[in-house]
């Protein structure tokens, strides 16, 4: 882990959410308190049984911190390329 790049100390917060979707690869969770939604790979979840819609999950987290003003052009290029490909597929489906 590269914690030297972070300027603020960890402020670990306990969060909870409710499983709203489970597919072959991922689990989707609505955060309690209207704080949003996230989807993560199944391998990131610790489960004793197969996860099901409606189950509650809990975890510790901190706040994401911006590491600097620089933009990673490689990621921007990949995002734009993916958007163009999706738009192209959308147009093909419409025709």
């Amino acid at each position: 882990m590269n914690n030297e790049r972070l300027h603020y100390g960890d402020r670990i917060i306990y969060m909870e959410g409710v499983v709203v979707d489970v597919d072959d690869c991922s689990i989707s969770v609505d955060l309690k308190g209207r704080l949003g939604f996230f989807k993560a790979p199944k391998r990131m979840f610790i489960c004793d049984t197969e996860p099901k819609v409606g189950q509650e999950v809990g975890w510790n987290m901190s706040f994401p911190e911006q590491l600097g003003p620089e933009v990673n052009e490689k990621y921007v290029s990949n995002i734009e390329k993916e958007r163009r490909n999706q738009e192209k597929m959308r147009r093909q489906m419409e025709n």
Side-chain angles (χ1 to χ4, degrees), residues 8 13 17 21 31 38 40 49 57 59 66 72 77-78 93:
Y8 299 92
I13 301 165
D21 187 38
L31 281 63
F38 76 89
T49 62
V57 294
W59 65 96
Q66 182 183 20
N72 186 320
S77 173
N78 288 340
M93 296 289 285

Side-chain angles (χ1 to χ4, degrees), residues 2 17 25 31 34 37-38 40-41 46-48 68 74-76 92:
N2 194 1
C25 301
L31 281 63
R34 299 186 321 192
F37 164 90
F38 76 89
I46 301 169
C47 303
D48 292 332
K74 179 180 175 185
Y75 283 100
V76 173
Q92 288 175 348

Side-chain angles (χ1 to χ4, degrees), residues 1 16 18-19 28 34 39 51 56 61 70 78 91:
M1 217 184 296
E16 289 185 352
V18 178
V19 175
S28 301
R34 299 186 321 192
K39 185 175 190 173
E56 294 180 309
M61 66 177 281
E70 302 82 20
N78 288 340
R91 284 193 304 265

Side-chain angles (χ1 to χ4, degrees), residues 18-23 27-28 50-56:
V18 178
V19 175
V20 293
D21 187 38
V22 178
D23 62 34
I27 298 174
S28 301
E50 186 66 26
K52 296 179 184 142
V53 171
Q55 289 179 324
E56 294 180 309

